[in-house]
Amino acid sequence: MDSPDSVRLVEVGPRDGLQNEPTSVSVEAKVAFIEALADAGLKDIESGSFVSPRWVPQMADSAEVFKRIRRVPGVTYSALVPNLKGLEAAIASGVEEIAVFGSASESFSRRNINCSIAESLERFRPVCKDALAHGMRVRGYVSCGLGCPYEGEISPKAVADVTTKLIELGCYEVALSDTIGVGTPGKARAMFSTVAKEVPTERLALHFHDTYGQALANILACLDLGARSIDSAAAGLGGCPYASGASGNVATEDVVFMLDGMGVRTGVDLEKLVAAGRLISGELGRAPNSRLGRIERRWPALAAAE
Ligand code: HMG
Ligand code: MG
């Protein structure tokens, strides 16, 4: 398949990235990061989550973050919501888009949200219904799409089943997630094509962590199959507190560099994006976990000769 003209990028650094940091990041720093990402041209920014503060203390200040973001027209600032209590808080914070998060693995579902897969879907039903009634858009995640930290192998069919159910609940898009970054291109292709038999590819996104350095290859494999929406995190931040050992999401800077080189439009200014990644890395006291963020002198991405 030819490369697409453009893809949608969903920036998850402020949520997936900062939920996993041992050091606490101030509200000011979170807001500055989110604003720098919007300034770089990112149009979809997952900016926090309304989950139990006992489970994920790093996101306990999400209401304050949402209150302080200087919102840029045309940019969507979304949040994770696990239940009706979270939805109530999201509505009170003026959130326009939420994401519910399920799993293809029973064990991960219990560890992450303290219920079975079936119970989670029943829990999401009223969340999706009420969110849609409030005019919000609802996105979904399916964790452990390419492997589970507790169960190992996960079948593509299990991923397809949960994805289909999330679409039925009203999610406009479901992010097929490699929570622990163990996937390789053949496996990613098998998972994506199995799900695509049940759900149109326009409604699927890729959310790949990069533990083993396979995420870009996996993205490319799925772009060939029609994927057009990619999650990533500036500076390669990310990880789930309930999937220990997993590293960050694929770095947005590296995804944009690859897509620039392929002539695929993202609307992102790479210089500003690298600066945003360095800004938050400086806050965290370390170098960015992206290839681009670590290179001092950069050459532009070179496209294929005609
Ligand atoms: P629970 O303990 O079963 O919930 O947790 P509960 O309903 O029994 O409530 C227990 C307490 O939490 C109560 O407080 C509730 O009020 C409070 P208490 O009376 O004991 O003081 N509570 C809440 N507080 C604030 N906001 C809420 C909320 N809900 C309950 N929304 C629950 C169940 C789902 C709440 C919990 O397990 C939880 O919050 N889990 C979230 C875990 C999480 O955020 N994980 C990381 C995000 S997922 C991820 O990273 C994967 C992803 O990136 C894709 C991928 O890579 O795979 C998306
Ligand atoms: Mg994730």
Side-chain angles (χ1 to χ4, degrees):
M1 189 182 271
D2 289 339
S3 297
D5 293 334
S6 64
V7 299
R8 171 178 186 242
L9 291 182
V10 178
E11 170 62 42
V12 298
R15 190 281 302 171
D16 201 325
L18 300 181
Q19 76 181 7
N20 203 41
E21 287 299 326
T23 49
S24 85
V25 179
S26 68
V27 170
E28 291 73 22
K30 289 181 179 182
V31 170
F33 180 39
I34 292 164
E35 291 181 351
L37 292 166
D39 189 48
L42 286 151
K43 296 275 179 266
D44 290 277
I45 306 176
E46 202 172 65
S47 302
S49 47
F50 294 93
V51 299
S52 162
R54 275 210 240 142
W55 285 65
V56 184
Q58 293 91 333
M59 291 287 115
D61 54 10
S62 287
E64 194 56 30
V65 170
F66 273 92
K67 197 163 108 191
R68 295 214 212 159
I69 303 167
R70 191 173 28 85
R71 304 204 187 191
V72 174
V75 176
T76 301
Y77 304 88
S78 60
L80 287 194
V81 161
N83 53 19
L84 282 169
K85 189 175 170 93
L87 178 64
E88 233 172 79
I91 291 170
S93 292
V95 174
E96 303 142 11
E97 177 174 324
I98 60 157
V100 292
F101 47 108
S103 170
S105 151
E106 282 293 349
S107 312
F108 184 78
S109 181
R110 290 194 181 279
R111 304 275 184 128
N112 194 42
I113 50 174
N114 205 22
C115 62
S116 69
I117 296 171
E119 284 163 344
S120 75
L121 293 165
E122 277 320 300
R123 198 182 274 174
F124 298 152
R125 186 182 299 282
V127 174
C128 294
K129 189 165 168 272
D130 290 7
L132 293 170
H134 271 85
M136 297 163 120
R137 297 217 302 167
V138 183
R139 197 169 190 248
Y141 283 96
V142 179
S143 287
C144 300
L146 296 175
C148 169
Y150 309 106
E151 293 180 17
E153 201 68 39
I154 297 292
S155 77
K157 180 79 180 75
V159 184
D161 286 350
V162 181
T163 305
T164 307
K165 289 183 179 129
L166 289 173
I167 293 283
E168 283 166 7
L169 290 180
C171 293
Y172 72 90
E173 176 176 271
V174 174
L176 308 176
S177 306
D178 186 4
T179 314
I180 51 173
V182 283
T184 46
K187 182 127 171 70
R189 208 178 276 126
M191 186 258 301
F192 191 87
S193 54
T194 302
V195 179
K197 284 188 192 129
E198 319 267 337
V199 175
T201 52
E202 312 85 77
R203 301 187 69 177
L204 301 176
L206 311 173
H207 177 103
F208 294 162
H209 286 257
D210 200 27
T211 319
Y212 293 90
Q214 303 295 302
L216 280 180
N218 295 342
I219 288 171
L220 194 56
C222 296
L223 280 178
D224 278 346
L225 297 174
R228 297 293 178 261
S229 181
I230 302 170
D231 292 11
S232 59
L237 299 172
C240 175
Y242 298 98
S244 74
S247 76
N249 291 84
V250 65
T252 313
E253 298 90 316
D254 299 345
V255 173
V256 170
F257 184 84
M258 179 179 85
L259 295 172
D260 279 354
M262 292 168 65
V264 180
R265 279 182 286 110
T266 60
V268 173
D269 178 323
L270 200 46
E271 292 301 321
K272 288 184 173 180
L273 174 62
V274 169
R278 287 182 174 162
L279 175 81
I280 192 65
S281 302
E283 273 304 321
L284 298 168
R286 59 169 191 253
N289 192 20
S290 66
R291 293 298 179 119
L292 264 78
R294 287 168 180 259
I295 299 168
E296 274 318 314
R297 182 184 158 203
R298 285 194 307 283
W299 293 273
L302 298 177
E306 289 299 313

